[in-house]
Every structure is written in structure tokens, then in C-alpha cells.
Amino acid sequence: MDIQAYRLKRQLTQEELAEALGVTNVTISKWENGQAQPSEKHMTKLKSISIHEEMKVVPFRPIQYLGSKLKLLTSIEVLVEQVAKEGRFCDLFAGSGVVSSYMANKHDVTACDIQGYSAILTSSLLHRSTLDHQGMAMFLKEVNDTFMLTDKSIFSLIEYEELLLDKASNGESDLLVNFSTCASLYTTKVNPIQIENEDTKLKSLISDVISLKDIESFQTLYLYGGVYFSYRQALLIDLIRQSADELKNVDDRSIVISSLLSACSEIVNTVGKQFAQPMKLTNTKGEIKKLQLARTIQNKSYDVPEKVKKAFINFLSAQQHIPKPDNHEVICTDVFNFLKNYDKEVGCFYADPPYTTDHYSRFYHVLETIALYDSPSLSFMNKKGIRVIMNGLYRTDRHQSEFCVPSSAINAFDKLFAGCSKFNAPLIVSYSPFDVDNNERSRLLSEERIEQIARKYYSKVSFVHNDSHKHRKLHSNKNNVDSIKHSEMFVVCEME
Ligand SMILES: C[S@@+](CC[C@H](N)C(=O)[O-])C[C@H]1O[C@@H](n2cnc3c(N)ncnc32)[C@H](O)[C@@H]1O
């Protein structure tokens, strides 16, 4: 029996199957590689694991995304059904793509977002690929074969990091703490004066790697290796990303890159699984933060191909209801540019813009680079008079949204309502007076201000509250699940 095919058909990861059978991941891996055979007892158990039909239609969270509307999908659907006219459903700030994906069941969808990672994720939720489980397994096997051919100096650096992680899990964390501030290959190459590395072995290993001729082409390794991901994970991310570009079918390319983005969002070594700041292992007094250390060891142990496979299964399930060919489209551009140039009939707009000063590009810049794979340069700042590359390793060209800048936000909302109103279609805008996902950052526009602007362009404006929606407070000390009155609402704008 082909255990791996059997497992994938049941949409299970190695970890999940191991748990169901009461064995370790290593055992499952050995069965799948033919290094061992399941006993009769395990075979009987294995055969009793059925295919869960209902998994095929359950929406999933492609990436950890601030402001994701995954939990509001049915409320959005109900509202759209009440007001939509003949024409396309336009998801103007598609983000992780979950709204577009959900609405694609009943509508022709147009999704728009300025970020490249959003366009790729949403494409994989709206267009079917031709790649199946077996095709993906072969793809990943080839990646693994290429990994084995990696330059020796990169392997030595990978092994050294793993040695430090091992030592740290046995209580010897000094070298790993030093490593956590010195691991960036990009910083060492571009601005070495900001690195104070006391570990001579690490210094020499990094120096060997950054002098490799083609090191900059391994973009994740070069920019984020050892920092947001372990060097091993970063190299595997690069190999998968590069191999994806060789796939001929554009939808196959999208699903592989989307699965990779999804995996990166799960394994990234940060607090909260966004990419704003890498994990810091010491406090201001220089004392080791035990929890962060434990998380780092855990995060850096995740197996990239395994996580990619798991995400691929989810994307495939989400694609099951999409007809081929489909009538959906994804447009990666600024919303104002989209509204100015779009010429198809729109039945309903859904707008979920940002409302705080936090630019999405600050939280998801690493995913943007993996999506675009365009060798960006990274931003500098002034620290005590010295020019240093910023800790977050942000792209210099990261998008600054007009919706997030206090001096331009009101005008941005005005332009949004004005632009949509020209299509003579209803507009549903998501709004929440609290930003519980992100430390309750204050909103740039009040509910009253939004209403004022909406009334300039629409004759009928109503507020629909969604009190049942519950948020988990990400950074709350209470770490509980709070129900907040009027935590989420929709502004429904129509022309009478
Ligand atoms: C609140 S999130 C949308 C979340 C999405 N509804 C979901 O469920 O995943 C806001 C999105 O607006 C996008 N954005 C911000 N400014 C934009 C602009 N000027 N044009 C297009 N997209 C923009 C950001 O990239 C981000 O993905």
C-alpha cells in the first residue's frame, strides 16, 4: 500500500496521521519511504480512517492575516444576497482572499489588492490548478533532490545553526542568543559594521556563504535566513519558489507559491506569526526570554515541505467547487487605479480597507518578497548616529497605503466611495471601532465620519452590526476570548 498517497487522499499531515495511530512522525516517514512496514494492528487502524467529505467545503485560513474576515463570511454573504444587483462581486481589498473564495460559489468574482502575495493567494482560491497530490509529491521530491546538491558551505552553516538549536534545547543557549543577532547574511554583506559577532566559527561560516557567487539568487536565505526562518527552512523555501517558476501552467505555479506562503506564515519565527519583527531572545537587561527561546527552537524545527503539502491539500479542497474554465479574475493594483479603469458590470462591491496607521506591507513584507521574488533592497534607519539596516529587514519599496496615513485617510475614503458610486452598484464596507487583532490600535476614521462620507455619494446608508462575532485578543495579557459589543459592523450603501 502507498501510505503517502493514502494519507494525502484523506487530507492528513504526517503529524495528524501519527497522532491518529499513536505512532511518531518518524515512523510515518519510514513507512512512506519504504524503510519500514506498518504492523497488522496499524494496518487495520489505517484502513478505518475514512475520507472526510465535509472537509472539502470548509473555508480555511491561507495565512495568519490581521483583519481576516474568515469568521464573518456568512454575514457578508447574507448582506450581499440582500443588496446585490446583476453583475460581478468585487472584493476590493482581498487580502488573504477568503471573502473572494467564499463568494465565488454564487458569483463571478473580481478580487483586487495592492500586494503581490494577496494576488497569488486569491488566484489559488479562484482558479483551479492541474496539479494533483501525486504531481505535488513528485514536485517536492525533485526539490529534495536539488537540496541534496546544495553547496557545502551552505550545508555547514545549516548544520551549525542546528547544532546551536540543539545545544539551546539542552540548556546551553549563549551561542544561539549571539546567533540570533548576527545571522543575517544580507546585513553582514551590505553593512557589516552593525554586526558584533563574537562567535568566530559562525563568522567564518557566514563569510564563506556570502562570498558564493550566486548567493543573492537564494533570496530567502540571503535576506531572511537565520532570522525569520532557519537557514535550512530558508533554503528549502528558495528551492520550492525557484522550482515553482519552472512550472508551465500559471495556476499550478500559483498553487505551489500559495502553499509555500501559507507554510511560511505558519513556521515564521516571530511573535504572533506576522513579519513585523523577528523574535528577540533577550530583554533590555540582556536576560534570556525563556518562552521566546522555546518558541524559536520549535519554529525552526518545522519541516517546510511537510507544511507546504498540508497547505496544498487545503488549497486543492478550496478549489473543488470552481468550474474550469472559471469566470473569476484577480487584479493586483491600487484600488483607485482599479476603480478608474475597470469597465465591467458590477453587481456589488465589498470593501475591507485598513483603518489604522499600520501598513500591511510592514507585517507581510517577507511574504511579498517570496511572492514577487524580485531581489529587493532593504531599508536603513539611523540608530545613535549610525546608519543601520532595520531589524525587521523591510523592503525599501514597501507599499504605503493612503488609508493608513492620518493626513490622507479621509481623502482616501472619500475617493473610495466616490469611485464605487460611479458604477451604480451597492457597496458594503467593513468597519470595526476596535482593532482587537492589533493591540486595539485606534482607528483613523470614526463611524460618524464614515457615515458622513458615505452619504455624500449614496442616498441610502445603513449600519448592520454583527454582535455575535468574537475575537481572540492576540496580544492580550488575559489571553481570553472576548465578545465585544458591536465589534464588527458593515456600512451598507445603496442608490435608491
Ligand atoms: C483588512 S485587510 C483585508 C482583509 C481581507 N478582507 C481578508 O479577509 O483577508 C486590508 C487590505 O487592503 C490592502 N490595501 C491597502 N491599501 C490598498 C490600496 N490602496 N489598494 C489596494 N489594496 C490596498 C492591504 O494590502 C490589505 O490586504
Side-chain angles (χ1 to χ4, degrees), residues 130-162:
T130 63
L131 211 59
D132 59 9
H133 295 299
Q134 235 179 343
M136 187 60 170
M138 266 171 61
F139 173 91
L140 289 172
K141 175 161 183 324
E142 279 168 26
V143 167
N144 187 49
D145 294 346
T146 318
F147 180 79
M148 301 316 282
L149 303 174
T150 300
D151 187 278
K152 251 175 47 204
S153 58
I154 300 183
F155 259 131
S156 304
L157 188 57
I158 289 175
E159 280 165 5
Y160 188 63
E161 180 181 17
E162 288 172 353

Side-chain angles (χ1 to χ4, degrees), residues 8 35 37-38 45 65 67 93 113 139 151 169 179 194-195 240 257 264 312 378 409 413 415 450 453:
L8 292 177
Q35 289 167 281
Q37 296 293 323
K45 258 190 168 178
Y65 208 53
F93 301 83
D113 200 287
F139 173 91
D151 187 278
S169 53
F179 174 94
Q194 78 180 76
I195 304 263
I240 293 172
I257 301 172
C264 290
F312 176 75
L378 303 184
F413 276 91
K415 284 196 290 178
I450 295 260
I453 302 175

Side-chain angles (χ1 to χ4, degrees), residues 65 67-69 93-98 113-115 333-335 352-354 360 399 401 403:
Y65 208 53
S68 158
K69 295 298 176 285
F93 301 83
S96 61
V98 293
D113 200 287
I114 189 78
Q115 301 280 182
T333 187
D334 188 280
V335 70
D352 185 18
Y360 274 76
H399 176 248
S401 178
F403 291 90

Side-chain angles (χ1 to χ4, degrees), residues 75-84 103 106-107 348 428:
S75 309
I76 295 169
E77 187 187 27
V78 168
L79 274 183
V80 172
E81 296 321 318
Q82 280 169 11
V83 300
M103 298 308 293
K106 291 196 188 148
H107 298 265
C348 185
I428 300 169

